[in-house]
């Protein structure tokens, strides 16, 4: 089910202090990646407007938001979840159109976004401190206090769901926020602002500003009144955001890239492993930080498994997100070029194409499509093994045995997640201990969800989102100790 979108009535202006601010300056077009046509032009928030947004968030922190009891905060967040679900058809259509992702995945994202608000609504009135035993002459206890104004820099691959992932715990902990969606996919975050208002979230508590990263994003993360930055994006931009945050000693959560392995051992249920590998690699056309973009497969089952893998990929449907294909377009021409270049470079340095390998449009569509591709890498230093591609490209590495698979799995600069398929519990758990990563999936790639802490090691970043761990970035612990 899709819903007709009236683009003329979409709220495109920045949302500051509970109001839409009409702008007449620069705009950034946002595209339908399937047709490469402009969906709408979104006004750019400049440095002054970003400063207004931060000021409004700072005022709300000590003003109306501070007076809302945790129980009422919790009720508001539940209402946000309900309203997202109520508007799910429109939000999913919009997300699919703006990002290019298959409609069923967009629907899943909208439900997960609602679930984030619901999950953190449940904890808003239960965030309590400790009492610390210091003997009869003292009373000591801890208070959990909101860190302050939080900045949320959002990527284009999971627009609403990444916004909800940071915003829901920030609000549950009593923080206020300025959200900067990616310039490629700003629409659902702009709509969310209206949903928050309808749910009763006071003006200034959440502000949304749009524009290019080096203008709007940089102004936000450099602002001295921003106390915490939650960033999801590329490693290079993450470093620049960290440098900016260091300038005013703001804390940061960095969710950066990945090159995560899916290890398949010969004793596994190979049908389940095959389905899991396809989902791991090709969900959202591979534009997923935690994609399982490297298949590390035990030699004794490799030939058969790869033949089946190729057959399944050969049957993939390919087209615009709203038609719900297996593989949709990439988000932008820039991303398509990037993917095409890495595939070409990897081939030049020895990776073998097992299927796909080309930039290729479906008939009648002018957008940014790359064929689902499998590359067999004989050399573990190959770019296809070491670099995040962020497209529908699965790299295969053949392992002699379990120990070799563990070694290959670990050998990249990233450490976001990893998966293993095996019936041997001991091997699965040994792999889990061995791999440097924030999450390990056993016999179901992407197992878990809103409740399970997520984040990186090495170049994949640091800090944890999701679950109760995800709250910790948003409150300070203050200890109060009295001598009696
Ligand atoms: P990509 O290169 O795939 O677009 P980025 O990591 O550059 O990914 O972008 C992720 C988010 O970071 C986007 O919202 C983008 O606008 C924002 N961004 C880019 N550069 C900066 C910057 N210098 N400061 C703050 N945010 C930025």
């Amino acid at each position: 089910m899709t819903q007709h979108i009236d683009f003329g009535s979409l709220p495109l202006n920045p949302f500051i202090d509970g109001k839409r601010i009409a702008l007449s300056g620069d705009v950034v077009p946002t595209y339908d990646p399937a047709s490469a046509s402009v969906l709408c032009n979104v006004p750019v928030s400049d440095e002054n407007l970003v400063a207004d947004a931060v000021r409004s968030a700072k005022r709300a922190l000590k003003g109306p938001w501070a007076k809302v009891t945790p129980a009422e905060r919790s009720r508001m967040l539940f209402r946000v979840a309900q309203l997202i679900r109520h508007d799910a058809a429109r939000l999913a259509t919009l997300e699919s159109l703006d990002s290019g992702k298959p409609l069923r995945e967009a629907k899943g994202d909208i439900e997960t976004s609602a679930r984030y608000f619901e999950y953190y609504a449940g904890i808003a009135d239960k965030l309590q401190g400790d009492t610390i035993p210091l003997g009869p002459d003292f009373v000591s206890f801890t208070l959990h206090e909101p860190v302050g104004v939080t900045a949320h820099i959002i990527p284009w691959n999971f627009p609403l769901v990444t916004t909800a992932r940071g915003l829901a715990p920030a609000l549950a902990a009593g923080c206020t926020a300025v959200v900067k969606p990616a310039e490629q996919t700003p629409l659902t975050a702009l709509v969310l602002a209206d949903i928050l208002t309808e749910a009763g979230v006071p003006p200034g508590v959440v502000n949304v500003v749009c524009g290019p990263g080096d203008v709007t994003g940089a102004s936000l993360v450099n602002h001295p009144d921003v106390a915490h930055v939650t960033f999801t994006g590329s490693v290079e931009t993450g470093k620049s955001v960290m440098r900016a945050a260091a300038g005013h000693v703001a804390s940061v959560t960095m969710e950066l890239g990945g090159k995560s392995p899916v290890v398949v051992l010969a004793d596994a249920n190979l049908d389940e492993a095959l389905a899991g590998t396809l989902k791991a690699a090709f969900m959202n056309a591979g534009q997923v930080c935690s994609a399982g973009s490297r298949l590390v497969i035990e030699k004794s089952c490799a030939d058969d498994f790869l033949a089946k893998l190729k057959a399944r990929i050969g049957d993939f449907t390919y087209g615009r997100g709203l038609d719900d294909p297996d593989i949709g377009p990439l988000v932008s021409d820039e991303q398509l070029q990037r993917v095409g270049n890495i595939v070409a470079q990897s081939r030049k340095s020895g990776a073998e194409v097992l299927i796909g390998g080309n930039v290729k449009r479906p008939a009648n569509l002018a957008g940014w499509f790359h064929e689902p591709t499998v590359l067999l890498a004989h050399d573990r230093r190959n770019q296809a093994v070491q670099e995040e591609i962020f497209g529908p490209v699965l790299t295969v590495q053949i392992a002699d045995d379990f120990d070799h698979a563990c070694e290959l799995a670990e050998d990249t600069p990233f450490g976001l997640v990893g998966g293993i398929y095996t019936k041997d519990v001991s091997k699965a758990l040994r792999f889990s201990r061995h791999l440097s990563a924030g999450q390990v999936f056993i016999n179901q790639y992407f197992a878990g969800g809103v409740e399970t802490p997520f984040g990186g090691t090495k170049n994949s970043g640091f800090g944890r989102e999701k679950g109760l761990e995800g709250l910790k970035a948003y409150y300070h612990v203050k200890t109060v100790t009295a001598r009696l």
Side-chain angles (χ1 to χ4, degrees), residues 278-279 282 309-318 325-327 372:
L278 290 168
K279 187 169 179 200
F282 296 110
L309 184 82
K310 275 168 41 180
R312 290 282 291 275
I313 294 171
D315 288 340
F316 271 178
T317 54
Y318 193 48
D326 290 310
I327 303 281

Side-chain angles (χ1 to χ4, degrees), residues 279-300:
K279 187 169 179 200
F282 296 110
M283 190 170 92
N284 199 16
Q287 302 165 110
V288 179
C289 308
S290 53
S293 54
R294 273 187 311 134
L295 168 65
V296 179
I297 183 152
E298 202 169 2
K299 197 194 263 168
S300 56

Side-chain angles (χ1 to χ4, degrees), residues 153-154 156 180-184 213 217-218 221 231-234 237 240-241:
I153 305 286
I154 308 298
W156 44 256
K180 208 299 277 177
E183 47 274 49
Q184 297 87 346
V221 297
F231 174 82
T232 305
S234 61
T237 305
S240 144
V241 168

